[in-house]
Amino acid sequence: MAASQNKGTSGKKNPSNSRSTKKSTASKAAQKNARTAKGTAPAGNKQVGAVVLFAVALFLLFLAFINGGNVWAVLQGAFFGLFGVMAYIIPFLLIIVAVLISMDKDSVSLRPKVLLAALLIWFLCSAIYVFAGDGAPGGFGSAVAGAYKLGSEGLSGGAIGAILGAPLLMMFGYKLPAGLTLILLAFV
């Protein structure tokens, strides 16, 4: 008789268990949808960021290699004045970063990759400034102004390179230790 009662109660559906199962299933589905929505939003933003970065890289590529007049010449002079010889390389580095960002499936933010690329460019500009220069500069302001002038002529590492390269040259006094420090920073 006890077996038949157990059989009878086990065969019945308990309404409270059914509701809790529905709630937990609905809760799990909502959590999954929230995770999916969070995962697609950064991926979409990352793709937009990669496209914008690619467009900027193409603009800088045209700016570096195509001569022009008026506003274009001013922009070109400023670009070379700031980055020097690296103005030829920066667009290609940015294109590589944009492609890597667009291919990346992780939900890692765009900022660290762009920041690392900017630091690499800065260290390389500084290394070019150090090795292309003629020794320790007289003063920081004159070093940056001279580097801008040389950079606009397509020489040196530009004003951006002088910002870090000039203090290192003043600190070390020689090209080799300052340049090696910058190269090691670029590798790190």
Side-chain angles (χ1 to χ4, degrees):
M1 178 97 159
S4 68
Q5 286 179 345
N6 285 343
K7 195 178 193 182
T9 55
S10 67
K12 291 183 185 177
K13 290 185 179 179
N14 188 350
S16 65
N17 282 345
S18 176
R19 275 188 234 135
S20 68
T21 304
K22 287 180 185 176
K23 285 182 184 177
S24 68
T25 305
S27 174
K28 288 178 185 176
Q31 289 173 353
K32 184 178 178 183
N33 288 339
R35 273 187 255 132
T36 305
K38 286 180 185 175
T40 56
N45 290 341
K46 192 168 51 167
Q47 294 299 323
V48 169
V51 169
V52 169
L53 187 62
F54 188 78
V56 168
L58 283 180
F59 175 73
L60 293 177
L61 182 71
F62 297 149
L63 192 61
F65 288 101
I66 298 173
N67 291 327
N70 299 331
V71 175
W72 189 265
V74 170
L75 289 174
Q76 191 174 40
F79 184 48
F80 276 94
L82 289 173
F83 297 103
V85 177
M86 281 295 291
Y88 291 114
I89 300 168
I90 289 172
F92 295 108
L93 288 175
L94 292 179
I95 288 172
I96 291 169
V97 170
V99 168
L100 289 175
I101 289 170
S102 68
M103 290 174 36
D104 192 15
K105 301 297 181 198
D106 294 338
S107 61
V108 177
S109 178
L110 179 70
R111 285 186 199 125
K113 293 179 183 183
V114 173
L115 178 66
L116 287 175
L119 282 174
L120 177 66
I121 289 167
W122 188 32
F123 294 149
L124 290 176
C125 284
S126 299
I128 291 170
Y129 169 82
V130 166
F131 287 120
D134 56 355
F140 181 75
S142 63
V144 172
Y148 185 88
K149 185 176 185 236
L150 285 173
S152 63
E153 297 170 3
L155 306 169
S156 186
I160 298 293
I163 291 172
L164 182 61
L168 284 174
L169 270 175
M170 288 182 222
M171 186 170 49
F172 289 115
Y174 296 101
K175 289 182 182 184
L176 191 60
L180 290 177
T181 301
L182 289 166
I183 291 171
L184 288 174
L185 285 172
F187 277 117
V188 170

